[in-house]
Amino acid sequence: MSQMTAVNVIRIEKGKGAEVAERFAKPKSVHTFPGFVRMELWMKESTEDHDELHVCTTWEDEKYFTEWREKRAIEKAKIRAEQEKNQTGKPPHNPILGTELSTYVTMVQHLPAK
C-alpha cells in the first residue's frame, strides 16, 4: 500500500474563489472516512480570467479514495433526486465553471527532522 493524493481543480468565476472556498471551511464526512489522511485547499495565485481552487485529499491507499468516491456518488444522486422532486423555481446561480480530477501516488516523502 502506498499513499495517494487526489487533486480536484475547480475553475470558478473571477472574484468568487473565496466564496467557494468557504464551502470547505468546516470538516465534512470525508474527514471521518477510513483511510483518509488529510485535506488541503489551495487557491492558485495570479489567474487572469477565472479563480482556481485545488482540493487535495491524501489517502492511505487508492482503495479508500475509490470507496469514498463511490459512497459520495450515491449520496449526491439521492440529494439531486430530492432537490428535483422539491424544485419550485430556478436553481441558485453556481459560480463553478468546471472541474478536473487527477490522482497521484506518493513516490517519495520527506518529513521534518526530529
Side-chain angles (χ1 to χ4, degrees):
M1 291 200 327
S2 59
Q3 277 191 349
M4 62 83 61
T5 299
V7 179
N8 189 15
V9 177
I10 305 172
R11 289 177 313 285
I12 305 158
E13 292 175 358
K14 189 72 176 163
K16 301 283 186 173
E19 176 185 319
V20 174
E22 280 296 314
R23 300 178 189 180
F24 297 90
K26 291 184 181 176
K28 307 246 182 348
S29 63
V30 69
H31 297 83
T32 63
F33 205 83
F36 176 82
V37 175
R38 73 176 164 275
M39 187 212 69
E40 296 178 317
L41 181 66
W42 306 337
M43 184 179 290
K44 186 174 182 179
E45 296 181 327
S46 304
T47 56
E48 289 187 26
D49 58 346
H50 65 276
D51 289 346
E52 194 170 288
L53 293 175
H54 293 220
V55 183
C56 308
T57 55
T58 300
W59 300 84
E60 290 175 12
D61 188 84
E62 187 172 3
K63 74 175 187 166
Y64 296 112
F65 173 68
T66 300
E67 290 169 3
W68 172 76
R69 280 190 72 195
E70 289 170 358
K71 181 180 180 206
R72 185 168 168 250
I74 292 167
E75 290 171 353
K76 286 181 110 179
K78 288 179 183 176
I79 291 168
R80 258 193 315 274
E82 190 62 30
Q83 286 174 337
E84 289 173 7
K85 182 177 156 186
N86 297 328
Q87 192 73 22
T88 57
K90 276 185 157 180
H93 175 72
N94 186 351
I96 296 175
L97 303 172
T99 64
E100 181 182 333
L101 178 68
S102 299
T103 58
Y104 304 87
V105 174
T106 303
M107 302 299 288
V108 176
Q109 182 179 53
H110 295 281
L111 299 173
K114 295 188 180 209

